[in-house]
Amino acid sequence: MELHLYNSLSRQLEPFRPIDPAGRRVLFYTCGPTVYDYAHIGNFRSFLNADVLRRTLELLGFEVRQVMNMTDVGHMTEDDRADGGGEDKMAVAQMRLSEAKKSGRLPEGTDLDPNDPTAVAQFYIDAFLEDARRLGLRVVADADRDPAVMPRPTRYIAEMIALIRTLIDRGHAYVGADGVVYFDVQSFPAYGRLSGNTPDRVRSGEGGRVDAATQNLKRHPADFMLWKPDPRHVMRWPSPWGEGYPGWHLECSAMAIALLGAETGGVIDLHSGGEDNIFPHHECEIAQACGATGRTEFSRYWFHTRFLLVENEKMSKSRGNFFTVRDLVQRGASPAAIRLELIRTHYRSNANFTFQGVRDSQRQIDRWARLDDWLERHAAAPLPMPGAGPLEQAMAPFTRALCDDLNIAGAVAALNEAAGAWPVDRAPDAGAGPRTFADERRALRRMDSVLGVLDLSRDAAPEEGGDAARIESLIRDRIAARAAKAWQRADAIRDELLAMGVEIKDGPEGTTWRRVLSATPSP
């Protein structure tokens, strides 16, 4: 089957065909976190959709080289302006952590010097990696073997300076009256193709914010910063244009070309990010990369995830609905349920995160986990049918749904229809077919290789609410106790489960369970 993906650049569905002439290797760059605070669940929705895309490609037989940056310099508090503005986000983060340290609000055991920007960045990088591992992002596992796949801009300053030199030499950049190096958008006629924010629209104020203070210092209001001399900036480096720091947009172009585009003339297959990255960030990335390489394209496909609402409202700290992954885990949500809740709405639709949705996702995962256990217990038994079982047959509609622009809802529906064919509350009927329940379990596991929830459900630490294997074991013991009419033992197990925050229900389809999830902060 061929994957058809919506390309933000062309604004239409396109068949996915990589640069690799053999058609198997995919070069994939993902805009990662800015490490000045904890990543929130809106950020993780974008990262998880990129992970689902990667897993889908791997299901289809592609070999994916994914790079995700960890932005540790260059961000300003007003990044909606193409050349930045406001305060340095690192300075803001230092102040926040300094206050947290004084008031004793840092995590127990944290030894952190808030005056050291590198230490501040590392603190939030470690927190991000912990959350990303909880949610099963494959790029993090890659980084354990090869740290270069999660690069930090502070380690690529030389590449950024070289890129600026090339842009100046090619007539795409200049030093403004204020000593700042700017990209000349008028030198790149394709500027605006991704976002629709052409230089004329930006000049008129329609296409994005314009910094009035710098308008007279550069050739065009839309020109954006590549390097800013500033001896007072928290993080700064020597350069031909003075001691200073790089523009945020420059970093991704330089790292993507260095880590993915060396053999392709600076062109990559896929670039992902949130909808808010389209302008100015990704528009500027394209201009820089193409200006430096002379190519007409930087990434052949652009993949953008839309915004996340929380309980039908925009997420904000003032509303009390601003959540990180660790917030939700503390309230009883399992990483598996968080992951499924964040990916189950199509990436090109705004998603509404709800606590009821997390509960529903958990029940769905529990059902799949019970099926997985049941299939494992009967793995050697032949199927009671002459050919492939329902899960094996579901692989085709499951994959077709994913190939239709990552239709997760359709894929889950195909899985659920097949899963309903097996009576997990009793032993299977005797069979003599050539296929076994092990084949069915392999099909379930292949589908979960994209959804990515079964192993999270089993492997997460108990304090994260992800001790599904222990819960299932206790439920099996309770079923056995009830069958033996050992009612006191069965009640004791129920009480133990309740103490773990697990509610069980006995019904005609067997015993089901769900976590008791709190929508309010823990004391």
Side-chain angles (χ1 to χ4, degrees), residues 207-259:
R209 293 185 60 193
V210 176
D211 186 353
T214 63
Q215 279 197 62
N216 297 326
L217 301 174
K218 49 189 182 179
R219 296 174 183 172
H220 190 280
D223 292 350
F224 57 90
M225 184 189 86
L226 300 175
W227 187 272
K228 185 173 184 176
D230 185 351
R232 297 169 299 175
H233 199 74
V234 174
M235 303 176 82
R236 56 190 183 273
W237 294 265
S239 82
W241 313 283
E243 186 179 51
Y245 63 98
W248 166 40
H249 317 302
L250 182 73
E251 300 164 4
C252 288
S253 297
M255 292 187 294
I257 291 171
L259 294 169

Side-chain angles (χ1 to χ4, degrees), residues 323 327-328 330-333 355 359 515-522:
F323 297 120
D327 290 333
L328 296 175
Q330 184 183 20
R331 295 170 197 209
F355 284 92
R359 296 184 189 99
R515 299 187 189 279
V516 181
L517 176 63
S518 170
T520 56
S522 299

Side-chain angles (χ1 to χ4, degrees), residues 32-354:
T34 56
V35 292
Y36 310 108
D37 204 343
Y38 297 107
H40 56 69
I41 57 174
N43 302 138
F44 269 106
R45 183 181 187 229
S46 175
F47 305 147
L48 285 168
N49 277 314
D51 186 66
V52 168
L53 173 55
R54 174 200 171 145
R55 288 165 175 259
T56 297
L57 289 165
E58 290 173 340
L59 179 73
L60 295 173
F62 292 100
E63 176 188 345
V64 181
R65 165 77 171 177
Q66 185 183 12
V67 168
M68 174 190 276
N69 66 300
M70 310 278 279
T71 300
D72 57 358
V73 68
H75 263 284
M76 307 299 284
T77 55
E78 297 182 19
D79 274 329
D80 53 344
R81 297 205 303 242
D83 52 354
E87 298 178 81
D88 176 7
K89 284 190 176 181
M90 178 56 75
V92 174
Q94 286 181 286
M95 186 180 304
R96 184 193 313 114
L97 287 180
S98 180
E99 292 172 354
K101 186 173 184 178
K102 289 177 184 176
S103 62
R105 290 183 288 109
L106 286 179
E108 186 176 351
T110 301
D111 183 15
L112 171 68
D113 178 7
N115 295 315
D116 180 357
T118 303
V120 171
Q122 189 63 53
F123 175 82
Y124 285 120
I125 286 171
D126 290 343
F128 173 79
L129 292 175
E130 181 182 353
D131 290 344
R133 284 192 180 94
R134 278 172 168 158
L135 298 184
L137 265 66
R138 283 191 173 171
V139 70
V140 179
D142 293 345
D144 290 338
R145 298 184 294 270
D146 178 10
V149 302
M150 296 191 79
R152 306 179 192 185
T154 50
R155 299 176 182 176
Y156 287 82
I157 299 297
E159 287 81 357
M160 295 179 211
I161 289 174
L163 188 60
I164 294 172
R165 285 183 184 275
T166 300
L167 289 170
I168 291 174
D169 292 344
R170 289 177 175 265
H172 290 296
Y174 64 93
V175 179
D178 51 356
V180 174
V181 184
Y182 292 104
F183 186 92
D184 183 356
V185 297
Q186 295 176 101
S187 73
F188 187 68
Y191 189 83
R193 182 183 168 199
L194 178 68
S195 65
N197 290 330
T198 63
D200 287 343
R201 289 194 65 205
V202 174
R203 182 193 293 276
S204 68
E206 295 176 6
R209 293 185 60 193
V210 176
D211 186 353
T214 63
Q215 279 197 62
N216 297 326
L217 301 174
K218 49 189 182 179
R219 296 174 183 172
H220 190 280
D223 292 350
F224 57 90
M225 184 189 86
L226 300 175
W227 187 272
K228 185 173 184 176
D230 185 351
R232 297 169 299 175
H233 199 74
V234 174
M235 303 176 82
R236 56 190 183 273
W237 294 265
S239 82
W241 313 283
E243 186 179 51
Y245 63 98
W248 166 40
H249 317 302
L250 182 73
E251 300 164 4
C252 288
S253 297
M255 292 187 294
I257 291 171
L259 294 169
L260 295 174
E263 299 176 7
T264 58
V267 183
I268 63 175
D269 292 302
L270 270 168
H271 197 314
S272 72
E275 185 179 35
D276 56 328
N277 289 141
I278 294 175
F279 186 86
H281 187 47
H282 289 165
E283 193 71 74
C284 295
E285 277 191 56
I286 293 170
Q288 292 160 160
C290 293
T293 64
R295 303 294 294 267
T296 58
E297 57 185 1
F298 169 37
S299 177
R300 301 183 68 219
Y301 301 86
W302 289 84
F303 177 87
H304 291 104
T305 293
R306 296 202 68 185
F307 294 112
L308 179 74
L309 302 175
V310 175
E311 303 288 354
N312 287 309
E313 290 189 316
K314 184 177 180 181
M315 185 166 53
S316 74
K317 291 181 179 178
S318 63
R319 288 190 176 99
N321 66 349
F322 184 95
F323 297 120
T324 64
V325 172
R326 55 199 57 214
D327 290 333
L328 296 175
V329 167
Q330 184 183 20
R331 295 170 197 209
S334 75
I338 297 169
R339 178 182 172 101
L340 184 58
E341 175 67 2
L342 289 174
I343 67 173
R344 65 178 184 168
T345 299
H346 193 265
Y347 76 93
R348 284 199 290 120
S349 297
N350 287 334
N352 182 34
F353 181 93
T354 68

